[in-house]
Amino acid sequence: KQEVTQIPAALSVPEGENLVLNCSFTDSAIYNLQWFRQDPGKGLTSLLLIQSSQREQTSGRLNASLDKSSGRSTLYIAASQPGDSATYLCAISGGGADGLTFGKGTHLIIQP
Amino acid sequence: ETGVTQSPTHLIKTRGQQVTLRCSSQSGHNTVSWYQQALGQGPQFIFQYYREEENGRGNFPPRFSGLQFPNYSSELNVNALELDDSALYLCASSFRGRSYEQYFGPGTRLTVT
């Protein structure tokens, strides 16, 4: 059974800093990995999707990497802004009908 | 291309009652999944429908059931509501056969009293 862990659970940094969020998973037989953003009480916004054959994906100030052999992914946020404050969730797809397996998320606060 | 929508936004029910939540998938997507998110937790997979048939289920009892319709809409039904069913319910649509990237709706907040 796939298990996903996100570290740290919470993070507070001053505006402008670069930061890294971590995601680890127990089963390397994944189809893809998605990073999501969730604002309080809201749905999930997809940030980046990495297929199992890929090593990284970039979108604007965001860069996500994937190392299947070590069961790790990182989300790098450059030049953080107060608007980046949200909970960031990592989710694994096995490619079948078992849905996504999520971590508990990292609650990020960017101080102005 | 419209996104995923859900209704209602909020709902309050009494223990023992039944509830139906609705979702409209992104146009062209043939798969819909439902998730339950308790406060402070990541979403938990309830089940998935593909071409109007349930083809995958997480660790949820049979009182959680669903339907998927040809017009890209779907329902989540929960019978005999319990206090622990209070959560944010999210639906996600995707196209099976492509990247399996899932697109989420805004969710329905269910409170059971």
Side-chain angles (χ1 to χ4, degrees):
Chain A
K1 176 189 172 187
Q2 181 72 269
E3 294 182 3
V4 180
T5 302
Q6 291 188 246
I7 294 172
L11 183 62
S12 180
V13 301
E15 179 179 4
E17 283 200 5
N18 303 324
L19 54 97
V20 175
L21 308 182
N22 297 292
C23 171
S24 62
F25 47 94
T26 54
D27 186 350
S28 62
I30 70 170
Y31 188 82
N32 65 40
L33 182 149
Q34 272 185 271
W35 282 94
F36 293 92
R37 168 189 173 133
Q38 186 174 33
D39 293 293
K42 305 295 185 183
L44 307 183
T45 300
S46 180
L47 299 172
L48 290 164
L49 178 143
I50 310 177
Q51 300 290 357
S52 64
S53 59
Q54 298 174 320
R55 293 298 299 259
E56 66 177 335
Q57 282 286 335
T58 298
S59 176
R61 294 183 294 109
L62 305 179
N63 175 276
S65 67
L66 173 63
D67 184 343
K68 279 201 314 178
S69 61
S70 66
R72 294 180 182 178
S73 175
T74 61
L75 178 66
Y76 175 82
I77 303 176
S80 58
Q81 304 170 358
D84 295 331
S85 298
T87 295
Y88 290 80
L89 293 155
C90 164
I92 302 286
S93 170
D98 295 334
L100 296 175
T101 302
F102 283 85
K104 290 185 177 181
T106 293
H107 180 55
L108 177 64
I109 297 174
I110 307 299
Q111 307 155 11
Chain B
E1 184 177 84
T2 59
V4 180
T5 60
Q6 293 186 242
S7 64
T9 304
H10 296 92
L11 202 52
I12 300 175
K13 289 286 189 178
T14 303
R15 189 172 50 185
Q17 286 187 319
Q18 178 267 343
V19 68
T20 297
L21 310 182
R22 293 180 172 83
C23 171
S24 179
S25 298
Q26 196 158 311
S27 178
H29 283 183
N30 54 17
T31 303
V32 64
S33 303
W34 286 89
Y35 295 82
Q36 179 195 68
Q37 187 178 23
L39 207 59
Q41 302 294 314
Q44 297 289 317
F45 174 65
I46 302 174
F47 48 56
Q48 180 181 101
Y49 276 76
Y50 170 65
R51 292 184 175 177
E52 302 163 45
E53 297 281 337
E54 181 182 312
N55 72 334
R57 174 177 280 264
N59 189 27
F60 282 80
R63 60 188 184 85
F64 286 78
S65 63
L67 289 171
Q68 183 187 25
F69 305 101
N71 65 349
Y72 307 115
S73 68
S74 60
E75 293 179 353
L76 165 65
N77 298 289
V78 186
N79 294 321
L81 284 167
E82 301 176 358
L83 296 179
D84 285 349
D85 295 333
S86 295
L88 181 67
Y89 288 85
L90 299 160
C91 80
S93 72
S94 59
F95 189 89
R96 188 172 179 176
R98 287 186 193 157
S99 66
Y100 281 92
E101 183 169 8
Q102 298 205 12
Y103 297 85
F104 281 78
T108 293
R109 171 70 63 186
L110 173 65
T111 302
V112 182
T113 61

